[in-house]
Each structure stands twice: as structure tokens, then as C-alpha cells.
């Protein structure tokens, strides 16, 4: 694997179609699974590491976001990356850069309610990175489900010629979804954070048992979130996050603050395979 900082170096080193894994660094096993998925195909795997200032709001954790390029490079290489692209802010946003990508109403929904501007920042940087890297395919984790929906829509609406692929969430053995922000949790907060997967497991179990009333499913999940600062717990249609009806693939999405750390998680609710294997894969709520 080579580490490069300029798009021209990516173009020089790549052979065949490019599969792209954009990241903000602080790589963990969840990112490794995305890179391994990318490496299972043919062509060149490019991983970018860029902590994008435009997707953080004032007072959010841009300043303290973990940064360790050497550790990221080791993990990316082990997972099968060919090129680690670590551009500077000046390369991504050169003087005079003025265009933004507005993903439309979805950007103000769910996470967008408390993070105005976040999804525009994500859609803008990812579109810009596509331009710099020229991938045929891009892989994103389903843990950031709304982001995945936004980026699918951006690629289709703007005819970017990039096939956007969503990859399953990777969890610790106790069910907590891997996230770079887990590093901010104290051990007590980490235990309390297990309420998120417990809430989703309870919803999936109730769905598996035949419950189809969305309000009731949400109430079942909410029982597990007592004591957390919940931003939202909602059931939506999985394709574009519109209203959910029981005949459609659904997704239960949760966002909550544990201490000062904001965590998100979700679970798919498949009417064809109710509850799927995920409900049993989740642990019980911590006692
Ligand atoms: O998911 C992330 O790490 C970021 O939002 C992304 C997609 C790399 C854009 O900065």
C-alpha cells in the first residue's frame, strides 16, 4: 500500500476500476470490513482519510476527533487497501471553492434536525472526493444509515457514475456498533451505551413475534433507553427513509447522547424474514 496526498498520485498508481472507501480516519474493525469488501473485487482499492470540517457544526467534536494517520495506514494495509489517500484541507477545499451539494429535505430530517448542514457537508465532500479519486464504486457502512441513503441519492440525482454500496454494521461482542466516537466513552458510559443495541434488539424481537404497529414497536424500544438523552427513535422505510408500512423493508433508527458523546445505530426490519438473525445476535440489556 502506498500513502499519497495528491489526486494525481492516485491516478498514477491505480490500475483498473477503483473501489473507494472514504473515511475520516480513526479506523477500526468496522472500516476494515469495508476495505476487505472492497478488496474482494478486482481493480484498485483507495481508502481516503480526511476529517471533513464542513460536516461538523459549531460546538461539535471536529477539534477532538481522533487523528492517527500511521495507525490508520497499518489497519488499511492489513485490510487490503492499495492506496491510502490523505489529502490536505487545501487540496479538498482550494481557495475559491464555492460549490455545495444540498441533498434536499432528507438533510433536515432525523440526524439533520440537530445537525443542520451536516449532510450537505457530507454530500459535498464525498462528491468532491469522487472527483479527485474517480472511483467506479464506493462503500459506506450501514451504521450511518441516513448518510448511506443521502449518498445513494446524491450519486443517482447527480449521475455521478459511482455505484454506492452499503455494508453491514460491525459490532463488538456485546452488541455495541463500532464507531470512532466510542473512544470518547468512559467505561461507565460504554455500559450505558449498550442500551442502543438493546433497544434495537427488542424492536427486532417484537417485529419477529409479529408486532406490526409502528408506534408500539417504538414504545418497546424506548423502554430500554430510560436514562439516556434520546434524540430520536423512529421506524422508517429503508429505501429513502419515508414513512414505514409493515409490508416494506423497514429500518429502526436511534440517536442518543451518552455523556457528551452522540451515538447512532439502526436495525433493518425485513417483512420477508421478520427479525432476521440480528435480534438473536444482539445481547440482552445490561443489568
Ligand atoms: O462516514 C464518514 O466517515 C464521513 O461522513 C465520510 C463519508 C467519510 C465523509 O466525510
Amino acid at each position: 500500500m502506498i500513502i499519497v496526498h495528491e489526486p494525481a498520485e492516485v491516478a498514477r498508481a491505480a490500475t483498473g476500476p477503483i473501489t473507494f472507501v472514504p473515511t475520516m480516519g480513526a479506523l477500526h474493525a468496522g472500516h476494515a470490513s469495508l476495505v476487505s469488501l472492497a478488496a474482494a473485487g478486482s481493480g484498485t482499492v483507495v481508502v481516503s482519510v480526511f476529517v471533513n470540517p464542513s460536516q461538523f457544526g459549531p460546538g461539535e467534536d471536529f477539534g477532538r476527533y481522533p487523528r492517527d494517520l500511521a495507525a490508520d495506514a497499518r489497519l488499511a494495509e492489513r485490510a487490503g487497501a492499495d492506496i491510502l489517500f490523505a489529502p490536505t484541507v487545501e487540496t479538498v477545499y482550494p481557495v475559491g471553492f464555492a460549490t455545495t451539494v444540498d441533498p434536499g429535505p432528507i438533510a433536515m430530517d432525523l440526524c439533520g434536525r440537530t445537525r443542520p448542514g451536516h449532510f450537505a457537508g457530507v454530500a459535498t465532500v464525498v462528491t468532491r472526493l469522487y472527483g479527485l479519486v474517480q472511483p467506479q464504486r464506493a462503500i459506506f457502512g450501514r451504521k450511518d444509515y441516513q448518510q448511506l441513503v443521502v449518498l445513494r441519492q446524491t450519486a443517482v440525482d447527480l449521475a455521478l457514475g459511482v455505484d454506492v454500496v452499503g455494508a453491514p454494521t460491525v459490532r463488538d461482542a456485546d452488541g455495541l456498533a463500532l464507531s470512532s466516537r466510542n473512544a470518547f466513552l468512559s467505561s461507565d458510559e460504554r455500559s450505558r451505551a449498550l442500551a442502543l443495541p438493546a433497544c434495537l434488539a427488542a424492536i427486532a424481537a417484537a417485529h419477529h413475534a409479529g408486532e406490526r404497529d409502528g408506534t408500539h414497536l417504538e414504545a418497546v424500544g424506548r423502554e430500554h433507553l430510560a436514562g439516556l438523552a434520546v434524540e430520536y427513535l423512529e421506524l422508517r422505510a429503508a429505501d429513502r427513509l419515508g414513512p414505514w408500512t409493515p409490508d416494506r423493508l423497514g429500518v429502526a433508527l436511534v440517536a442518543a447522547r451518552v455523556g457528551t458523546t452522540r451515538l447512532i445505530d439502526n436495525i433493518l426490519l425485513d417483512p420477508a424474514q421478520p427479525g432476521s438473525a440480528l435480534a438473536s445476535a444482539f445481547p440482552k440489556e445490561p443489568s
Side-chain angles (χ1 to χ4, degrees):
M1 188 188 79
I2 58 166
I3 302 177
V4 302
H5 304 282
E6 295 297 330
E9 297 172 284
V10 175
R12 257 200 305 278
T15 52
I18 292 178
T19 300
F20 184 32
V21 182
T23 82
M24 296 206 299
L27 303 185
H28 50 63
H31 296 107
S33 77
L34 307 183
V35 179
S36 303
L37 183 62
S42 56
T44 300
V45 176
V46 178
V47 175
S48 66
V49 171
F50 179 67
V51 186
N52 172 37
S54 76
Q55 69 187 77
F56 291 80
E60 290 190 347
D61 53 1
F62 175 69
R64 67 168 184 155
Y65 202 84
R67 293 162 170 86
D68 185 347
L69 190 62
D72 290 342
R74 283 193 295 276
L75 185 141
E77 181 163 33
R78 270 201 306 274
D82 300 303
I83 301 175
L84 185 80
F85 175 47
T88 61
V89 176
E90 292 71 27
T91 298
V92 177
Y93 298 120
V95 173
F97 184 92
T99 302
T100 51
V101 177
D102 175 358
I106 193 175
M108 298 308 291
D109 197 7
L110 298 168
C111 289
R113 288 183 212 137
T114 49
R115 305 190 75 192
H118 170 69
F119 288 113
V122 170
T124 301
V125 78
V126 169
T127 304
R128 170 86 179 141
L129 288 168
Y130 289 164
L132 299 177
V133 170
Q134 298 288 307
Q136 277 67 42
R137 203 161 69 119
I139 303 186
F140 300 90
R142 280 210 298 260
K143 212 260 308 158
D144 296 303
Y145 197 86
Q146 187 177 7
Q147 168 173 282
L148 177 62
V149 172
V150 164
L151 293 174
R152 277 207 174 112
Q153 185 176 329
T154 307
V156 170
D157 289 356
L158 301 181
L160 297 177
V162 178
D163 183 20
V164 173
V165 176
T169 300
V170 178
R171 298 176 182 280
D172 271 333
D174 56 12
L176 189 67
L178 296 193
S179 162
S180 305
R181 291 192 166 94
N182 293 353
F184 300 143
L185 298 170
S186 68
S187 88
D188 172 60
E189 288 171 341
R190 200 188 172 293
S191 302
R192 290 198 287 131
L194 294 178
L196 273 76
C199 149
L200 296 174
I203 291 174
H207 184 259
H208 182 61
E211 179 59 64
R212 291 294 182 271
D213 180 329
T215 310
H216 190 244
L217 285 169
E218 280 176 28
V220 164
R222 214 166 270 280
E223 280 175 24
H224 295 262
L225 298 174
L228 294 191
V230 180
E231 256 178 38
Y232 63 78
L233 169 64
E234 295 206 22
L235 260 65
R236 295 292 184 91
D239 52 357
R240 295 172 75 112
L241 296 178
W244 174 69
T245 51
D247 54 316
R248 303 176 67 183
L249 182 64
V251 59
L253 306 115
V254 62
R257 265 176 209 287
V258 184
T260 56
T261 306
R262 183 177 183 279
L263 298 175
I264 56 173
D265 201 352
N266 66 82
I267 194 167
L268 289 172
L269 301 173
D270 186 346
Q273 292 179 301
S276 66
L278 288 170
S280 53
F282 280 178
K284 296 204 169 43
E285 192 179 11
S287 51

